[in-house]
Amino acid sequence: MNPEQKHKIQTNFSCLLENLLVGEIADNLFSQCVIEHDDLQRVHAEVTDKDKARCLINILYTKENSYDPFIRELRSIHTYGYLADQLNDTDVEKELEQEKENWMKYLSDALEERYRFVKEKSILENEILMEIKYVFWHDGKEYSEQEVKTSLNECIKMLFPQAIRKKVKRMNKKLWSYCNIDRKEPDTSDSDDDSNTDNVKAGPNETLS
């Protein structure tokens, strides 16, 4: 589902749970290859109708191109046509605008905290993405590389107007790089070192020994 569709589902979540019997819907979505066999078994393994509906909606929420088939299934069952209309008619424009604003601020704050304008310096885009991925992991936020890539250039240009995105040659490969920005110097104060000594946290690709 795209962000708009997810917001429509989220806004109507309680209503869907209270009104849906999803056994037939889940079977049909499996027949259409919208959900997997394991997904179907998870739905039918739930005991109450409300839990079955919650399970199916949570599964659809994480899958691409699942919204339209779900709407078609609702319309195919006469008593659920009103739910399809209610979902499609739900206006989520303000919520999406606010979500984008919050997203851009979060990403901008993360960039501003770690990078600065330095003429004739440069940093590879992939390195920035890796560092931002760590920030998301550290803060417990879901990371989408495609979303970050889409917003990254806009945020950098807003923070550092003289930054230039261009391809550079590294080890016989052409890679995207941002020129005129560099990492900020790390804070190496004794107090920070002392406070962090006993609070080591493994990174997304590390384990603590």
Side-chain angles (χ1 to χ4, degrees):
M1 293 188 185
N2 63 39
E4 179 180 358
Q5 293 165 346
K6 286 183 176 182
H7 272 287
K8 289 177 182 286
I9 292 290
Q10 184 176 352
T11 301
N12 294 281
F13 189 65
S14 295
C15 180
L16 292 170
L17 295 189
E18 293 295 335
N19 292 281
L20 276 181
L21 299 176
V22 300
E24 181 181 348
I25 294 173
D27 291 343
N28 291 341
L29 292 174
F30 171 66
S31 297
Q32 299 167 31
C33 299
V34 177
I35 64 175
E36 304 293 331
H37 187 257
D38 287 347
D39 299 326
L40 182 65
Q41 289 183 313
R42 285 169 55 197
V43 173
H44 285 300
E46 298 292 344
V47 177
T48 68
D49 292 332
K50 190 171 184 178
D51 286 340
K52 290 179 190 290
R54 180 183 290 107
C55 182
L56 178 61
I57 292 169
N58 286 338
I59 290 168
L60 295 175
Y61 197 81
T62 63
K63 292 186 179 292
E64 295 182 6
N65 304 318
S66 61
Y67 180 83
D68 289 338
F70 178 56
I71 292 295
R72 286 196 296 270
E73 285 305 312
L74 291 179
R75 292 198 187 284
S76 72
I77 301 173
H78 179 68
T79 53
Y80 294 153
Y82 76 98
L83 289 174
D85 292 336
Q86 183 171 316
L87 283 167
N88 281 338
D89 292 344
T90 299
D91 185 0
V92 295
E93 184 176 349
K94 289 183 179 179
E95 288 85 348
L96 289 173
E97 288 178 357
Q98 184 61 53
E99 184 179 87
K100 182 178 180 181
E101 182 179 326
N102 293 341
W103 160 263
M104 294 294 287
K105 184 179 186 305
Y106 176 79
L107 184 56
S108 295
D109 288 347
L111 291 168
E112 189 173 24
E113 183 179 343
R114 288 160 180 80
Y115 304 100
R116 59 179 178 167
F117 168 75
V118 182
K119 193 172 183 180
E120 297 182 357
K121 287 285 189 176
S122 66
I123 183 169
L124 291 176
E125 183 177 77
N126 284 342
E127 293 179 8
I128 297 177
L129 290 172
M130 286 298 296
E131 292 177 12
I132 295 301
K133 182 177 181 179
Y134 181 86
V135 174
F136 274 66
W137 169 83
H138 184 272
D139 291 348
K141 289 183 173 290
E142 182 179 351
Y143 177 81
S144 168
E145 185 167 313
Q146 185 56 48
E147 288 185 34
V148 173
K149 278 186 174 181
T150 301
S151 306
L152 184 62
N153 189 51
E154 183 179 349
C155 286
I156 287 179
K157 292 297 290 184
M158 179 177 62
L159 293 169
F160 315 109
Q162 292 175 285
I164 301 172
R165 183 176 184 258
K166 68 177 183 179
K167 283 194 172 182
V168 296
K169 195 171 184 179
R170 299 283 177 89
M171 299 179 65
N172 297 322
K173 291 183 179 180
K174 286 190 174 182
L175 303 172
W176 284 110
S177 176
Y178 283 94
C179 302
N180 296 329
I181 66 170
D182 197 11
R183 292 179 181 86
K184 286 185 175 180
E185 294 295 330
D187 185 354
T188 57
S189 64
D190 292 338
S191 59
D192 285 346
D193 289 341
D194 292 339
S195 64
N196 289 332
T197 301
D198 296 325
N199 295 289
V200 180
K201 186 175 182 182
N205 298 313
E206 301 173 341
T207 56
L208 292 176
S209 57

